[in-house]
Amino acid sequence: MDTVLVLLLAAFALLGAEYDVRDFGATGDGVTTDTAAIQKALDACAESGGRVRLTRGKYLTGTLYLGHNTDFHLEKDAVLLGSANLADYNLEDAYPQNYGCKEEGWRGSHLIIVLEKHDVRITGEGVIDGNARAFMQDEPTWYGYFGWVDGFLESRDHNAQARPGQEIVFVESRDVGVEGVTLRDMACWSCFFHGCENVRVRGVTVRNDRRYANTDGFDIDSCRNVVVTECDIETGDDGFAVRGDLETLKDKSCVCENVLISNNTCAVSANGVRIGVGYGVVRNVKIVDLRVGRAANGIQLQSAYRKQGGLSISDVRIENVTISNALKGIVIGGQTSVAGIPLEDVRFKNITIDSPRPIEVNGEGLTHPRRISFDGIRVRGAEYPFLVRNAEVVSFADVQFGWGRFADLPKKGPESSGAYISDDTRLTPYDAQSYPEGNFSPAPEGDFGALRRWMDAQPDRLDEDAFCHFLKRYYGTAWRYVRHYLRELYALEINRFKDVHLVGTDDPYIAPRLPRSYRQRAAYLWKRAIDVAEIIDKDEPAYADHVRRSTPPGLPHAD
């Protein structure tokens, strides 16, 4: 793979004439639809090769098709703005490999299409704006725990699939790439490579609303010889998705292989990197120098997505990765009902994880991960350091755990030793001497015993402002994880205070009416604390406003 990567990292160099879209009638005023004028420039360029230039301005457009030997170049202060009218986009039957997703509410309409072409690039310092704000809901459908903590938004008319699908698509093309541009406000996957060969992405910035569902940064599906480097992604779904879905491709022999994802940063609502989806093959993948600053899962490998598929995954190297503010650091799983599908030979090296559930290797269905190794792992903020179940030959070396902040959390069964390991799993056993608690971990700032004592001392009405102050004082930066533990502790409190029945409304702005009972009062306080933790986990300024609006003057009680 190394020789191929050297070639792919060479600078873009397309020789030929330059075509200014304004010379073909484009206005760039952000109001006039410039689709036809831009397409004329692209068609002219495709005849002999060269560069199509978007100079300063805002170019409103529907679907554009790029041809062979084309550099579509957006200069600084140039914006390509997707139309708010779905009629301006291609139909789903525009080409055989196309598809939409009824379940997720998007159609096979795209802003830029590169179909069976060669030597095509999108470059420059300009912006490609998908105009998702024209299609997405105004208010969240629901709120997640670590993923979509600010809310989950999808298209306004989900059943009608009333939003475009993948915004930029390269389909069964070769020698293609994207460099330097900013992709923002995408209504679905930002950039999709499907069945391509020799792909290069460098220095691209992705800025999508963290609440927008299905807005992946880059999806690399059944592609060979791929380099993605120096990208900065903030989005509402996966940062990078490596896939093997052959269903719609003409060439069913495509293998997703020789993929390098290097020196990138992402903050996402789902997975920093997800390897999964499809019935094909993913192999020889290297992820190096990755920084995940927010995610539900830092890195996930799955042989099946939603129990559908049977993706073969092998020879994956993941090195020099930092994962923080994630519920789960590394997740390796199966769920496939297809026999004989390997998920094997995956190596993690030099990984730092700040997460309550840092490592899970969990075979499900007919998939048992095997030959999974962890070397040079540093864990902070762990509830349990690792879970391994239904897997074969999983090894740990040079692993340090720092979990002092949550030392008071009750541990039961195998977890009390620091790991959950099922009987049918063969791996290096947990050993306190081999895997010491890391000295690098910050000093404990509190424990859940302190939280219990503080809760027990509260009056009938929970002082939400004081609760926020308490969390920050005792838990420092770890307060972002407290909501997860509050739910587990609430379950313990229910056992502690038997026969609890909360009555009243679920509306957070109306105080529930509760009988005068210490047991019910305590349960109310714990449940209210969870509600408050959800709010402060989302946004502290919003929390302060919530305190002013929702804290009742007094807690009314039933007789």
Side-chain angles (χ1 to χ4, degrees):
M1 178 168 71
D2 293 342
T3 301
V4 173
L5 298 185
V6 169
L7 294 174
L8 286 173
L9 285 169
F12 283 128
L14 281 175
L15 301 178
E18 290 199 352
Y19 303 83
D20 188 328
V21 297
R22 290 182 181 271
D23 294 338
F24 292 81
T27 65
D29 62 8
V31 178
T32 305
T33 301
D34 287 326
T35 310
I38 299 173
Q39 190 61 57
K40 287 180 182 178
L42 291 167
D43 292 344
C45 180
E47 292 181 4
S48 57
R51 168 174 284 182
V52 175
R53 294 171 54 238
L54 265 66
T55 55
R56 182 174 183 175
K58 184 180 291 185
Y59 301 84
L60 180 65
T61 181
T63 301
L64 299 171
Y65 292 84
L66 276 58
H68 298 301
N69 302 302
T70 297
D71 177 3
F72 190 36
H73 187 79
L74 286 74
E75 295 185 355
K76 187 176 181 180
D77 298 322
V79 177
L80 187 73
L81 176 64
S83 171
N85 185 356
L86 278 171
D88 291 336
Y89 295 84
N90 65 284
L91 298 177
E92 200 154 283
D93 62 358
Y95 56 94
Q97 302 95 322
N98 196 26
Y99 64 91
C101 183
K102 188 172 183 60
E103 183 179 17
E104 295 179 352
W106 49 268
R107 62 181 62 183
S109 301
H110 316 288
L111 184 58
I112 297 176
I113 297 174
V114 180
L115 175 64
E116 300 175 14
K117 305 301 181 186
H118 63 78
D119 296 286
V120 184
R121 281 89 170 177
I122 299 171
T123 66
E125 299 179 71
V127 174
I128 299 176
D129 187 327
N131 202 8
R133 52 199 177 276
F135 303 102
M136 306 298 275
Q137 295 171 320
D138 296 318
E139 297 296 330
T141 304
W142 54 272
Y143 291 92
Y145 297 127
F146 270 73
W148 295 285
V149 295
D150 294 305
F152 181 92
L153 297 177
E154 51 191 1
S155 61
R156 291 194 178 100
D157 191 344
H158 181 90
N159 292 334
Q161 297 174 258
R163 60 166 159 155
Q166 307 97 331
E167 296 280 5
I168 303 172
V169 296
F170 294 81
V171 183
E172 297 197 72
S173 299
R174 61 179 174 83
D175 301 312
V176 296
V178 183
E179 180 175 7
V181 294
T182 294
L183 312 180
R184 76 181 182 203
D185 204 31
M186 298 301 193
C188 194
W189 307 353
S190 303
C191 189
F192 179 36
F193 297 95
H194 197 192
C196 295
E197 185 171 355
N198 301 339
V199 176
R200 180 191 168 213
V201 178
R202 185 171 74 176
V204 176
T205 300
V206 177
R207 291 292 182 268
N208 297 326
D209 194 310
R210 68 172 66 184
R211 301 171 301 169
Y212 286 174
N214 319 118
T215 54
D216 295 0
F218 293 96
D219 283 66
I220 302 160
D221 194 327
S222 307
C223 294
R224 176 181 287 110
N225 305 334
V226 180
V227 177
V228 183
T229 184
E230 301 172 26
C231 295
D232 184 0
I233 300 171
E234 294 183 10
T235 194
D237 212 285
D238 298 336
F240 300 93
V242 181
R243 305 154 46 98
D245 189 356
L246 303 171
E247 184 176 356
T248 62
L249 289 177
K250 291 181 179 178
D251 184 358
K252 304 298 184 183
S253 67
C254 287
V255 172
C256 195
E257 64 180 352
N258 306 337
V259 177
L260 172 64
I261 299 174
S262 171
N263 193 23
N264 298 286
T265 300
C266 62
V268 302
S269 295
N271 303 283
V273 177
R274 175 163 59 86
I275 300 177
V277 179
Y279 289 87
V281 175
V282 172
R283 66 191 179 205
N284 198 15
V285 176
K286 185 174 183 179
I287 300 166
V288 61
D289 297 326
L290 173 69
R291 296 162 297 283
V292 180
R294 181 188 75 245
N297 304 310
I299 296 174
Q300 182 175 38
L301 282 72
Q302 54 185 171
S303 56
Y305 176 64
R306 294 181 178 176
K307 299 184 179 180
Q308 298 176 355
L311 182 68
S312 169
I313 302 173
S314 63
D315 194 13
V316 178
R317 290 179 290 164
I318 300 174
E319 301 177 1
N320 304 330
V321 175
T322 300
I323 299 168
S324 59
N325 196 19
L327 174 60
K328 297 180 180 181
I330 295 169
V331 182
I332 300 175
Q335 294 186 333
T336 181
S337 59
V338 182
I341 301 299
L343 200 175
E344 61 190 11
D345 297 317
V346 181
R347 291 157 285 175
F348 294 89
K349 187 173 183 178
N350 298 332
I351 314 292
T352 298
I353 304 172
D354 191 342
S355 166
R357 297 179 182 266
I359 297 172
E360 290 189 6
V361 182
N362 187 11
E364 300 175 86
L366 298 180
T367 295
H368 285 198
R370 61 184 179 179
R371 296 193 297 275
I372 314 295
S373 67
F374 298 89
D375 185 3
I377 311 299
R378 303 292 180 265
V379 172
R380 296 183 175 96
E383 172 191 353
Y384 307 118
F386 53 77
L387 178 151
V388 180
R389 182 169 56 199
N390 299 329
E392 301 176 10
V393 191
V394 180
S395 63
F396 294 83
D398 186 20
V399 179
Q400 292 188 354
F401 301 125
W403 48 37
R405 288 178 299 191
F406 308 115
D408 189 60
L409 189 72
K411 296 180 174 65
K412 300 177 181 179
E415 296 95 332
S416 61
S417 67
Y420 180 86
I421 305 168
S422 66
D423 294 337
D424 59 351
T425 296
R426 291 176 289 138
L427 77 165
T428 305
Y430 174 77
D431 183 305
Q433 186 173 1
S434 299
Y435 312 128
E437 291 194 15
N439 296 326
F440 60 86
S441 185
E445 296 174 321
D447 58 32
F448 283 94
L451 178 56
R452 285 198 188 93
R453 291 189 294 273
W454 188 87
M455 291 292 290
D456 285 345
Q458 296 308 296
D460 283 357
R461 181 169 64 90
L462 178 64
D463 186 332
E464 299 180 2
D465 199 23
F467 179 59
C468 181
H469 176 75
F470 170 83
L471 292 182
K472 297 196 71 175
R473 174 186 172 189
Y474 279 87
Y475 297 100
T477 58
W479 65 268
R480 292 183 179 276
Y481 301 135
V482 166
R483 178 176 53 176
H484 170 71
Y485 295 101
L486 277 170
R487 292 192 177 277
E488 297 206 7
L489 288 171
Y490 175 57
L492 294 175
E493 295 302 304
I494 289 296
N495 292 327
R496 181 178 168 195
F497 306 109
K498 298 294 185 181
D499 304 320
V500 172
H501 300 285
L502 295 176
V503 296
T505 176
D506 290 331
D507 189 333
Y509 303 116
I510 303 175
R513 296 181 61 82
L514 302 172
R516 291 183 181 275
S517 155
Y518 175 77
R519 290 178 297 182
Q520 293 189 343
R521 180 192 70 82
Y524 163 71
L525 289 176
W526 280 100
K527 184 177 185 299
R528 194 74 186 101
I530 294 170
D531 295 339
V532 175
E534 290 178 351
I535 296 166
I536 63 175
D537 192 42
K538 283 180 269 183
D539 185 73
E540 286 189 77
Y543 165 73
D545 180 65
H546 170 82
V547 170
R548 287 191 297 272
R549 290 185 293 109
S550 68
T551 302
L555 179 65
H557 295 283
D559 294 333

